[in-house]
Amino acid sequence: MMPELRVLYFEDLSIGLSETLSKTIAASDVVGFAEITGDRNPIHLSEHFAARTPFGTRIAHGLYTAGLISAVLGTRLPGPGAIYISQSLNFRAPVRIGDTVDVTVEVAELVPERRRARLSCTCSVNGETVLDGEALVKVPTRAEADPLAARKA
């Protein structure tokens, strides 16, 4: 799933510009997330426990799914150099081991005086929204990213 890096500067962004990334959730992803965060809730790790829940099987951590949004922001839209300011999240449905999550980030608003972009974020599985929300990010301008190049222009 390692997306190729793409750098977009504030002046490259426009309302409606979007990027999508797909990731199939592996059991090892869920175990790794539990190890990194310490969230060892058995609904994520124990098939026996999860079978007795309304989901009937293990599910991925909600914040693991949300972390896939960060992958888009940090690698593709806007990409390297973007700084997270805030994120709202609405968890709509579970993500199960083996599900392929499609993460779409779209520019919803630009605030030029602060170099901020408000981004609509949606995660879906088979067309069903499992998570949605908005991110606010600070996006560098070309001049901020490479001051020497800006002086030459």
Side-chain angles (χ1 to χ4, degrees):
M1 177 203 86
M2 295 297 284
E4 184 178 325
L5 294 179
R6 176 178 73 178
V7 178
L8 294 174
Y9 300 105
F10 188 83
E11 50 269 54
D12 299 324
L13 301 180
S14 60
I15 305 296
L17 181 65
S18 68
E19 183 71 32
T20 299
L21 167 120
S22 295
K23 168 76 170 119
T24 300
I25 307 305
S28 59
D29 296 329
V30 175
V31 170
F33 190 84
E35 288 175 358
I36 289 169
T37 64
D39 180 351
R40 297 178 328 155
N41 183 334
I43 198 162
H44 307 303
L45 303 174
S46 169
E47 196 61 56
H48 177 73
F49 179 91
R52 299 187 321 255
T53 71
F55 304 117
T57 189
R58 291 168 58 196
I59 60 171
H61 300 76
L63 286 180
Y64 175 75
T65 304
L68 299 175
I69 295 169
S70 180
V72 175
L73 300 181
T75 63
R76 305 289 299 162
L77 179 62
I83 304 296
Y84 243 127
I85 305 279
S86 66
Q87 175 81 57
S88 67
L89 300 169
N90 304 297
F91 299 96
R92 308 285 184 191
V95 173
R96 293 172 172 79
I97 311 287
D99 282 349
T100 298
V101 179
D102 297 312
V103 182
T104 302
V105 172
E106 181 177 336
V107 178
E109 179 184 15
L110 296 170
V111 184
E113 60 277 4
R114 305 217 46 215
R115 295 173 319 287
R116 305 280 199 271
R118 187 171 54 83
L119 307 165
S120 172
C121 307
T122 305
C123 299
S124 61
V125 173
N126 295 322
E128 178 188 4
T129 298
V130 296
L131 184 156
D132 60 16
E134 288 187 343
L136 183 66
V137 296
K138 181 176 180 181
V139 186
T141 63
R142 235 179 220 88
E144 290 170 326
D146 188 354
L148 294 177
R151 278 192 258 160
K152 295 176 188 174

